[in-house]
């Protein structure tokens, strides 16, 4: 159990007070103010999980918060005991039911596997929408019930309104007829009965019951006998109304009583959710994060901000503890941030153990400690006749008696307030005891002896608060691994102490003190220079890394383009070769078909001659002899030199070596128009070609250099069908060989003989993709437009 004094010193109670203002329910506010840290890591993780889930529900999914309802526990218990609740109390029940329904729906409708703790709470909430609506429909306000709360109540109130009208009507007539006996011509009410104000001297003139008189006795309020029965009926109806209202309230109360236990559980669940939501809202306001927790005494606060310091003034501090050392010894000038840093560590530990997020950067870690001790600030007590030293020593003694290996200890200016040598000795003894007990913590000091001790004891690490060398203004940065100097004489000089006195002060310092402070000062200068160099180095690394990343992106882009280029080139070359071979085969086949005829006419001769001319016109050139034999071994890297020809199997391409870098095992190879960087292991000996004539497989390339420019249209108007077809076929052959994609055949409209014959030919032609009549502006039905494959 952590002492309340420790919680107060670390200002834990102030955090609870701020957080409680974000809660909606009074019971939740009170519960937050009474929160205490847990030292069980499982419970701490569960508390942080609930806060994280609440944060996600509110700020990721926009879940509804808790709707306010009044404290209602007493009312629920009375309802359970069949004590009729008032209209105001039943409305409180309705607000509880409404809040329960909204929260249940808000959480359970969100599908997220990470939200389990708060979902479990929400699923245990009971709600009854019908009872909620019944109460709010029947009870209009805390003192008014609806006419339609029941059929009987409606009839009673209808009767009351009618009787009221009758009474008023009779009395108004009576007032007009007896105005001379009346003090005023009005109708009023006394004791729920309608009366008229009669002058006392005419008392005998008005028959009826006297209900009241004025303070002077000059006026009597008399109920005339003419309305006596009507008033009696009205009174009876009012009693019936009251009884019916009591019946309605009793029936509603009975329904509440049946579910009172469930509603009491709702209050508990809603309060628990309200607390989690309050923590999440507070975390959002601080831009806080969920810390990682451990039980290994490891603390790593990254850019932590004290939550009680204004955001525009707070300076982030990074602190690490518990890796290679258990204690931090913080030194440096006063007002440099030592105490704030120490309190930050203690407060963050308490907050994490209570399920609060901490205002720090992502990746921050907090350890769970069963005990937290601290001695911070001046606790001098006049009443107890205790000096500053005595009050601090009482706290230190208490720490040394209770400390163990699960303790976090925070000691500010240990051993201060007495003789420096004795105080330093006491401080070292206490610190050594704390380390040997296995505890962890932070100690601040100005004692040189403790700084020297920290250099020799591996379980404690020197650290210092940074300051501006020129102005000695604190920078509130913690430098771990380097002792700091108090710089008291320098600060005194800057504040106005005369040079003579500062020189005298330096001369009075012990030689070993001066020597040690000079070592610290030189070390600090070296650290600052190293820090500047490190910043420059980091900037250079970032710049070079950016260049490297850009080059990497460009290289990947180039590799993709290269791969795309070779793939497309292979596909295109295969397509051209296949088409050319198919075309040649078709021409040969057509010539053979003509020659195989037993008889053939002049048209066949013309056709055969045309096909022969086409074959002669096509000049095939042998690009590559087939029956290619791949090299059975890679190149000899030791003998490889610039301008050597090589084969790259992964690209199925030949190339010439341009540059060689044998240290990196890479080279640049010219492949066609492209220059490619490759590993030496990717290179093979050049491909060999078999010279046997019978085995040669050739790759055909069409040389169109001697071809005339092909025409894109032909006009066969006026020719008969056979003449026209000879010219169309020859035109088609030229168009195909020339690689035309679209041609036009002009045949005119006429009797459609030409167009029909041409279309029959085109429909069977293997190289025709589609054909159609011309559109408007293209000749329409007098032209056929042909698309070739």
């Amino acid at each position: 159990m952590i002492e309340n004094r420790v919680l107060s010193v670390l200002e834990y109670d102030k955090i609870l007070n701020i957080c409680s203002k974000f809660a909606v329910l009074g019971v939740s506010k009170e519960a937050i103010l009474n929160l205490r840290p847990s030292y069980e890591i499982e419970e701490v993780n569960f508390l942080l999980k609930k806060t994280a889930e609440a944060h996600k529900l509110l700020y990721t999914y926009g879940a509804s918060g808790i709707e306010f309802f009044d404290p209602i526990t007493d009312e629920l218990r009375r309802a359970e005991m069949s004590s009729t609740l008032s209209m105001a109390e039943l409305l409180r029940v309705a607000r509880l039911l409404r809040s329960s329904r909204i929260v249940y729906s808000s959480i359970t409708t969100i599908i997220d596997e990470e939200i389990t703790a708060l979902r479990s709470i929400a699923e245990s909430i009971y709600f009854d929408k019908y009872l909620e609506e019944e109460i709010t429909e029947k009870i209009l306000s805390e003192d008014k019930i609806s006419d339609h709360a029941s059929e009987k109540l409606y009839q009673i109130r209808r009767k009351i309104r009618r009787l009221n009208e009758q009474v008023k009507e009779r009395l108004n007539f009576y007032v007009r007829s007896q105005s001379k006996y009346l003090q005023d011509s009005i109708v009023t009410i006394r004791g729920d009965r309608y009366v008229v104000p009669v002058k006392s001297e005419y008392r005998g003139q008005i028959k009826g019951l006297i209900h009241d008189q004025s303070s002077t006795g000059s006026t009597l309020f008399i109920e005339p006998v003419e309305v006596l029965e009507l008033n009696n009926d009205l009174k009876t109806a009012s009693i019936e109304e009251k009884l019916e209202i009591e019946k309605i309230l009793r029936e509603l109360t009975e329904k509440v009583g049946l579910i009172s236990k469930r509603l009491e559980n709702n209050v508990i669940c809603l309060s628990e959710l309200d607390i989690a939501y309050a923590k999440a809202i507070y975390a959002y306001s601080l831009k806080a994060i969920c810390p990682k927790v451990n039980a290994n005494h490891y603390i790593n606060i990254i850019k932590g901000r004290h939550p009680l310091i204004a955001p525009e003034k707070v300076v982030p501090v990074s602190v690490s503890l518990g890796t290679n050392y258990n204690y931090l010894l913080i030194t440096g000038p006063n007002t440099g941030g030592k105490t704030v840093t120490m309190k930050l560590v203690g407060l963050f530990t308490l907050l994490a153990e209570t399920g609060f997020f901490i205002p720090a950067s992502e990746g921050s870690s907090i350890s769970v400690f069963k005990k937290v001790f601290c001695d911070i600030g001046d606790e001098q007590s006049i009443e107890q006749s205790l000096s500053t030293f005595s009050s601090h020593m009482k706290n230190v003694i208490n720490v040394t008696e209770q400390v163990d290996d699960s303790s976090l200890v925070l000691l500010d200016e240990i051993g201060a307030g007495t003789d420096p040598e004795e105080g330093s000795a006491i401080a070292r003894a206490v610190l050594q005891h704390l380390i040997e007990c296995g505890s962890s913590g932070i100690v601040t000091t100005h004692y040189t002896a403790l700084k020297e001790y920290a250099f020799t004891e591996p379980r404690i690490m020197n650290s210092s608060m940074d300051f501006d060398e020129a102005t000695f203004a604190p920078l509130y940065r913690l430098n771990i691994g380097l002792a700091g100097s108090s710089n008291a004489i320098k600060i005194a000089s800057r504040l106005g102490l005369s040079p003579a006195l500062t020189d005298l002060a330096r001369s009075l310092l012990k030689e070993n003190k001066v020597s040690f402070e000079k070592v610290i000062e030189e070390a600090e200068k070296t650290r600052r220079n190293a820090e500047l160099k490190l910043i420059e180095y980091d900037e250079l690394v970032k710049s070079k890394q950016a260049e490297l990343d850009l080059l990497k992106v460009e290289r990947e882009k180039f590799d993709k383009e290269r791969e795309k280029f070779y793939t497309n080139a292979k596909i295109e070359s295969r397509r051209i070769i296949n088409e050319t071979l198919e075309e040649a085969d078709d021409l040969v086949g057509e010539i053979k078909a003509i020659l195989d005829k037993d008889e053939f006419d002049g048209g066949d001769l013309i056709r055969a001659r045309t096909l022969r001319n086409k074959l002669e016109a096509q000049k095939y050139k042998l690009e590559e002899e087939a029956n290619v034999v791949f090299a059975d071994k890679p190149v000899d890297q030791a003998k490889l030199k610039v301008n050597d020809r090589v084969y790259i199997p992964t690209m199925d391409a030949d190339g010439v070596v341009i540059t060689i870098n044998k240290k990196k095992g890479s080279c640049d190879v010219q492949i066609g128009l492209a220059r490619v960087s490759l590993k030496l292991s990717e290179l093979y000996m050049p491909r060999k070609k078999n010279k046997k004539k019978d085995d040669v497989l050739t790759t055909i390339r069409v040389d169109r250099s001697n071809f005339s420019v092909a025409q894109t249209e032909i006009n066969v108007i006026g020719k008969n069908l056979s003449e026209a077809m000879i010219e169309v076929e020859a035109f088609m052959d030229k168009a195909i060989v020339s690689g035309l994609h679209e041609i036009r055949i002009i045949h005119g409209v006429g009797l459609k003989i030409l167009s029909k014959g041409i279309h029959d030919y085109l429909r069977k032609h293997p190289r025709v993709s589609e054909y159609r009549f011309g559109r408007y502006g293209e000749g329409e039905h007098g032209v056929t437009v042909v698309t070739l494959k």
Side-chain angles (χ1 to χ4, degrees):
M1 186 68 178
I2 300 173
E3 296 178 359
N4 288 331
R5 184 190 64 81
V6 174
L7 300 178
S8 177
V9 169
L10 295 177
E11 300 176 295
Y12 173 81
D13 53 336
K14 293 182 180 179
I15 301 296
L16 297 185
N17 186 55
I18 295 172
C19 181
S20 68
K21 295 178 182 178
F22 293 106
V24 174
L25 307 177
V27 64
S28 306
K29 294 177 183 291
E30 186 177 351
I32 290 174
L33 294 175
N34 292 317
L35 288 176
R36 290 296 177 266
S38 170
Y39 52 81
E40 297 293 339
I41 190 168
E42 293 81 7
E43 184 178 357
V44 171
N45 276 319
F46 184 67
L47 292 173
L48 288 170
K49 176 176 174 58
K50 290 199 293 185
T51 305
E53 289 183 10
H55 194 280
K56 195 171 188 180
L57 285 169
L58 291 175
Y59 299 107
T60 299
Y61 296 111
S64 300
I66 308 298
E67 288 212 3
F68 175 79
F69 58 87
D70 299 287
I72 199 171
T73 304
D74 292 339
E75 287 84 344
L76 294 175
R77 290 174 181 171
R78 285 174 43 222
E80 188 178 4
M81 294 185 294
S82 301
S83 177
T84 304
L85 301 181
S86 66
M87 287 182 275
E89 291 169 336
L90 285 168
L91 286 176
R92 292 178 192 172
V93 174
R95 284 193 285 271
L96 169 59
L97 286 168
R98 172 180 167 79
S99 183
S100 302
R101 174 174 54 82
I102 290 174
V103 168
Y104 176 89
S105 175
S106 176
I107 297 177
T108 57
T109 54
I110 293 173
I111 307 301
D112 190 326
E113 294 181 355
E114 293 182 355
I115 299 175
T116 56
L118 298 191
R119 179 184 295 277
S120 177
I121 296 172
E123 288 175 346
S124 67
I125 291 176
Y126 172 83
F127 67 93
D128 187 336
K129 187 176 181 181
Y130 298 105
L131 179 57
E132 173 196 339
E133 291 178 347
E134 184 179 5
I135 294 174
T136 54
E137 288 174 0
K138 290 184 176 181
I139 303 175
L140 303 179
S141 67
E142 293 186 355
D143 56 1
K144 185 176 182 181
I145 195 164
S146 171
D147 292 352
H148 301 282
S150 73
E151 180 62 27
K152 185 175 181 180
L153 181 61
Y154 176 77
Q155 296 299 334
I156 292 171
R157 287 187 171 175
R158 184 179 180 186
K159 178 181 178 181
I160 289 173
R161 285 192 292 271
R162 186 178 68 251
L163 290 172
N164 275 321
E165 291 172 0
Q166 291 176 358
V167 171
K168 288 179 182 179
E169 185 179 347
R170 288 195 183 183
L171 285 178
N172 286 332
F173 175 78
Y174 189 84
V175 166
R176 288 193 297 272
S177 63
Q178 304 293 333
S179 59
K180 62 180 181 178
Y181 304 122
L182 304 180
Q183 194 72 264
D184 294 299
S185 298
I186 60 172
V187 176
T188 185
I189 296 176
R190 288 293 187 274
D192 296 332
R193 300 182 76 88
Y194 286 99
V195 296
V196 292
V198 179
K199 297 176 182 178
S200 58
E201 59 267 27
Y202 296 115
R203 174 178 178 179
Q205 302 299 322
I206 302 298
K207 294 181 179 181
L209 297 177
I210 299 174
H211 288 277
D212 198 3
Q213 69 176 10
S214 64
S215 58
T216 61
S218 60
T219 303
L220 300 175
F221 294 95
I222 299 175
E223 178 185 2
V225 294
E226 285 83 350
V227 295
L228 187 60
E229 288 301 322
L230 286 176
N231 269 336
N232 287 340
D233 293 342
L234 190 57
K235 182 68 175 179
T236 301
S238 297
I239 294 171
E240 291 176 354
E241 178 190 28
K242 184 177 180 181
L243 292 174
E244 183 61 20
I245 291 173
E246 289 179 355
K247 179 184 176 184
I248 294 169
L249 297 180
R250 185 168 58 254
E251 290 174 350
L252 291 174
T253 301
E254 288 175 357
K255 293 180 180 180
V256 172
L258 293 174
I259 59 171
S260 60
K261 291 295 184 185
R262 294 182 178 182
L263 296 182
E264 286 182 27
N265 180 67
N266 280 10
V267 174
I268 296 172
C269 292
L270 292 173
S271 176
E272 190 171 355
L273 291 172
D274 194 22
I275 292 171
Y277 281 164
K279 289 180 180 178
I281 296 170
Y282 184 43
Y284 184 81
S285 70
L286 292 175
K287 297 180 180 178
I289 58 97
C290 181
K292 302 174 183 177
V293 293
N294 63 86
N296 304 322
H297 300 178
Y298 173 64
I299 295 175
N300 183 31
I301 298 173
I302 305 172
K303 295 183 179 179
R305 310 179 305 278
H306 199 291
L308 297 178
I309 300 177
E312 65 274 9
K313 295 181 180 179
V314 68
V315 179
V317 177
S318 296
V319 185
S320 62
L321 180 70
T323 48
N324 300 322
Y325 51 88
N326 297 338
Y327 270 84
L328 268 181
L329 183 69
I330 304 180
T331 55
N334 290 326
T335 69
K338 300 190 300 296
T339 304
V340 172
T341 300
M342 183 166 55
K343 293 178 73 172
L344 177 78
V345 172
L347 180 59
F348 277 16
T349 299
L350 298 178
L351 291 179
E353 291 180 340
T354 318
F356 283 92
F357 285 9
I358 60 173
S361 295
E362 289 288 348
S364 297
S365 296
I366 297 292
S367 178
V368 175
F369 293 94
K370 292 184 179 181
K371 299 177 183 179
V372 177
F373 300 102
C374 72
D375 178 58
I376 300 173
D378 188 359
E379 298 184 21
Q380 182 175 359
S381 173
I382 297 176
E383 293 180 358
Q384 298 179 14
S385 301
L386 294 176
S387 65
T388 300
F389 176 74
S390 300
S391 62
H392 281 302
M393 282 310 301
K394 284 193 66 176
N395 291 335
V396 171
I397 292 169
N398 179 57
V399 173
T400 58
E401 291 175 347
Q402 300 185 51
V403 70
D404 57 22
D405 61 358
S406 63
S407 301
L408 176 67
V409 181
L410 308 170
L411 300 179
D412 189 23
E413 300 294 349
I414 183 173
T418 188
D419 177 75
E421 291 189 8
E422 292 186 5
S424 176
I426 292 173
R428 176 168 174 172
V430 169
L431 188 53
Q432 185 171 332
H433 172 73
L434 296 176
I435 293 173
E436 290 174 352
C437 288
S439 63
S440 302
I442 299 177
V443 175
T444 68
T445 188
H446 289 288
Y447 290 143
T448 301
L450 288 187
K451 302 176 191 178
E452 294 173 347
Y453 173 62
F455 277 120
T456 60
E457 171 55 62
R459 290 170 292 180
I460 183 169
M461 177 64 69
N462 264 312
S463 61
S464 61
M465 301 305 299
D466 214 350
F467 62 92
D468 189 289
E469 285 186 322
T471 64
F472 290 97
L475 299 177
Y476 304 104
R477 290 198 300 263
L478 183 65
N479 297 316
I480 296 177
L482 184 66
S485 176
S486 298
N487 294 298
I489 295 177
K490 291 183 179 179
I491 293 174
S493 175
R494 181 172 177 77
L495 292 174
L497 189 65
S498 67
L501 291 178
T502 55
D503 291 341
L504 178 60
R506 288 191 184 93
S507 68
L508 294 175
L509 286 174
K510 292 183 179 180
E511 185 177 344
N512 61 345
K513 167 74 174 178
V514 175
S515 176
F516 186 76
E517 291 296 330
K518 285 184 178 179
V519 169
I520 292 177
E521 188 173 343
E522 289 301 319
E524 176 64 14
K525 288 181 181 178
T526 303
R527 182 194 66 80
R528 291 179 184 277
N529 290 334
E531 194 174 67
L532 292 175
K533 293 295 183 183
L534 183 60
I535 292 173
E536 292 177 5
Y537 173 76
D538 288 341
E539 291 297 327
L540 181 61
V541 168
K542 289 179 182 178
S543 174
K544 295 302 179 183
Q545 185 62 47
E547 293 178 8
L548 187 61
D549 292 342
L550 182 61
L551 288 174
K552 186 177 179 181
V553 171
E554 291 296 326
R555 173 63 184 271
E556 291 176 354
K557 183 178 178 181
F558 172 76
D559 288 344
K560 290 179 181 178
E561 291 294 328
R562 179 186 65 186
E563 187 67 27
K564 182 179 179 181
F565 169 77
Y566 281 115
T567 301
N568 291 340
K570 289 178 181 179
I571 293 173
E572 182 63 17
S573 63
R574 290 194 186 103
R575 185 187 66 79
I576 294 173
I577 292 171
N578 291 336
E579 287 183 358
T580 306
L581 289 174
E582 289 176 6
E583 184 179 341
D585 289 342
D586 291 342
L587 292 173
V588 172
E590 291 182 38
I591 294 174
K592 186 177 180 182
I594 294 173
L595 296 176
D596 287 344
K597 288 183 178 181
D598 295 333
E599 295 181 5
F600 46 88
D601 55 19
D604 291 331
L605 290 175
I606 294 172
R607 176 64 179 157
R609 191 180 298 112
T610 301
L611 294 173
R612 184 197 65 188
N613 291 338
K614 288 180 182 179
L615 283 174
E616 291 178 352
Q618 294 186 10
K619 295 183 179 181
Y620 294 103
K621 185 177 181 180
L622 187 62
E623 281 189 333
E624 182 177 6
E625 295 184 5
N627 209 8
V628 174
V629 179
F630 291 98
D632 58 358
K633 62 179 181 178
V635 296
D636 186 343
Q637 298 182 16
K639 297 180 180 179
L640 185 68
K641 57 185 183 295
V642 175
N643 293 327
D644 280 357
R645 294 190 64 82
V646 292
Y647 174 66
I648 303 95
T650 56
M651 297 182 180
D652 190 20
D654 294 318
V656 178
V657 177
I658 301 174
T659 62
I660 302 174
N661 189 334
K662 292 189 177 180
K663 289 184 178 180
K664 294 185 177 180
S666 63
C667 66
D668 289 346
V669 178
Q670 188 76 33
I671 303 175
L673 298 177
R675 177 170 178 165
V676 184
S677 294
L678 298 168
K679 294 180 180 179
L680 294 178
S681 59
E682 296 182 72
L683 306 181
Y684 280 72
M685 297 296 292
R687 296 184 292 183
K688 299 177 182 178
K689 301 175 182 178
N690 192 336
K691 297 298 182 180
K692 290 182 179 180
K693 188 174 182 180
D694 295 339
D695 296 335
V696 170
L697 297 176
T698 60
T699 299
I700 304 299
R701 179 172 60 83
V702 179
D703 184 357
R704 298 189 178 93
S705 58
N706 296 327
F707 281 20
S708 60
V709 178
Q711 298 297 319
T712 60
E713 66 179 29
I714 184 174
N715 190 335
V716 292
I717 296 176
K719 295 181 172 53
N720 59 37
L721 181 60
S722 60
E723 293 173 342
M725 290 310 301
I726 292 174
E727 293 189 20
V728 168
E729 289 176 6
F731 171 68
M732 287 281 292
D733 292 335
K734 286 185 179 181
I736 291 169
V737 172
S738 300
L740 296 181
H741 178 64
E742 187 178 275
I743 57 175
R744 290 159 40 95
I745 301 173
I746 304 171
H747 45 67
V749 179
L751 299 175
K752 298 184 179 181
I753 295 174
L754 284 179
S755 62
K756 185 176 182 302
I758 291 171
H759 283 192
D760 290 339
Y761 168 75
L762 293 175
R763 183 166 52 253
K764 300 176 183 177
H765 200 292
R767 302 301 301 276
V768 173
S769 174
E770 63 177 359
Y771 60 89
R772 60 176 175 81
F773 283 119
R775 299 189 182 95
Y776 178 77
E778 292 181 333
E780 299 181 33
H781 283 72
V783 174
T784 294
V785 179
V786 184
T787 302
L788 301 175
K789 294 182 181 178

